[in-house]
Amino acid sequence: DLARNDLVQRLQADPGSRLVGLGRGGLSLETPLIPNLATVHQLNDLRGYFVMLPQRFSTLAQRYLSRERNYYFADSVTSQNFLNIFGVKYLLCERRTCGPYHNRFSVAQERGDVVLLTNSTALPTAYVAYNTQGYTDPSDVFSALEDDRVDVSMVTLVEGVASRRSTLPISPAVVHWAVNTITISANATEAGVLVVSDNAYPGWRASVNGVPGQVLTVWGSLKGVAVPAGQSTVVFTYRPRLFMVGMGVSFLAVVLLG
């Protein structure tokens, strides 16, 4: 019974972190990772992104994760940095499939053949990045994510912007999730890019201290926005163009019928 499984309870106690399953065998491993059951058991699963499967994220997922029966697993991940940028702190695996990860992740808990590993290099859900590198070619993202020498806590790739050099590491930010809205409180040591590990899906808009800002694409899939030094409140709202057109048509209909 998953509700009484102490591995699941441990994951529920850390709601800010994401989980990826390793391996494909056994209900004890797969069941908590099936998206609807992940919702029931309040597990923050990386594959929540696959509801709409945005193309940007799909490109990364297909490169770094294996797929079976419409579910993604991390048993063939070739890039720890891929897990890091999405804030994947926990990996759940069967003992026979998680051997390659023991050198990089620490064992948090074991129950029979199931092992819970902790990834200590996972990035926060939201943070301010100071050392940013601009790119236009998506292959630059792949090259960086696949290079073990790249420390993603010290360099951040942002699409279509000028590079900005800094020796500062990232600064964690406080994030609050609501329906179609993400509110983030950040305290930046210097001007930088606030990054949230959520997809840069078309229709998202951003404001910084009440002023509209340009939504940036970070690491080929995540969204961000430029922030000044000091305290800032950043709000991302989902307002797709089709939704706005529908609202306008509805308003016009009410006016004409009124």
Side-chain angles (χ1 to χ4, degrees), residues 143-176:
S143 297
L145 291 179
E146 293 164 11
D147 188 342
D148 289 337
R149 297 169 299 177
V150 174
D151 182 351
V152 293
S153 70
M154 292 299 300
V155 62
T156 301
L157 269 63
V158 184
E159 183 177 320
V161 302
S163 298
R164 181 186 178 94
R165 302 301 182 189
S166 175
T167 58
L168 291 175
I170 62 172
S171 299
V174 178
V175 59
H176 174 73

Side-chain angles (χ1 to χ4, degrees), residues 175-248:
V175 59
H176 174 73
W177 304 87
V179 177
N180 292 340
T181 304
I182 307 171
T183 304
I184 304 168
S185 177
N187 190 7
T189 306
E190 61 185 37
V193 174
L194 183 135
V195 182
V196 59
S197 58
D198 191 62
N199 260 289
Y201 198 76
W204 282 98
R205 302 183 183 188
S207 68
V208 180
N209 299 323
V211 179
Q214 179 186 358
V215 176
L216 303 171
T217 298
V218 181
W219 288 117
S221 180
L222 308 181
K223 59 174 164 276
V225 66
V227 294
Q231 190 71 35
S232 292
T233 298
V234 175
V235 179
F236 289 98
T237 53
Y238 186 56
R239 295 289 185 272
R241 182 172 300 178
L242 186 60
F243 171 81
M244 300 304 292
V245 170
M247 288 290 289

Side-chain angles (χ1 to χ4, degrees), residues 134-143 157 159-160:
Y135 74 92
T136 55
D137 187 343
S139 65
D140 293 339
V141 173
F142 300 145
S143 297
L157 269 63
E159 183 177 320

Side-chain angles (χ1 to χ4, degrees), residues 53-132:
L53 199 65
Q55 183 60 45
R56 290 177 181 274
F57 181 62
S58 177
T59 300
L60 291 178
Q62 290 173 7
R63 188 177 182 92
Y64 299 120
L65 299 180
S66 61
R67 186 169 187 174
E68 182 176 300
R69 300 193 314 277
N70 295 321
Y71 299 120
Y72 282 81
F73 298 89
D75 58 344
S76 64
V77 165
T78 56
S79 167
Q80 183 174 350
N81 278 333
F82 169 75
L83 300 180
N84 290 344
I85 63 171
F86 283 98
V88 176
K89 185 176 178 181
Y90 296 106
L91 297 97
L92 193 64
C93 58
E94 292 177 304
R95 194 179 304 279
R96 64 183 176 82
T97 62
C98 64
Y101 295 90
H102 274 294
N103 295 332
R104 296 187 176 187
F105 307 119
S106 59
V107 177
Q109 216 164 339
E110 300 179 70
R111 286 293 177 270
D113 290 333
V114 180
V115 180
L116 181 65
L117 301 178
T118 302
N119 176 18
S120 61
T121 56
L123 298 186
T125 303
Y127 56 89
V128 179
Y130 304 103
N131 186 28
T132 54

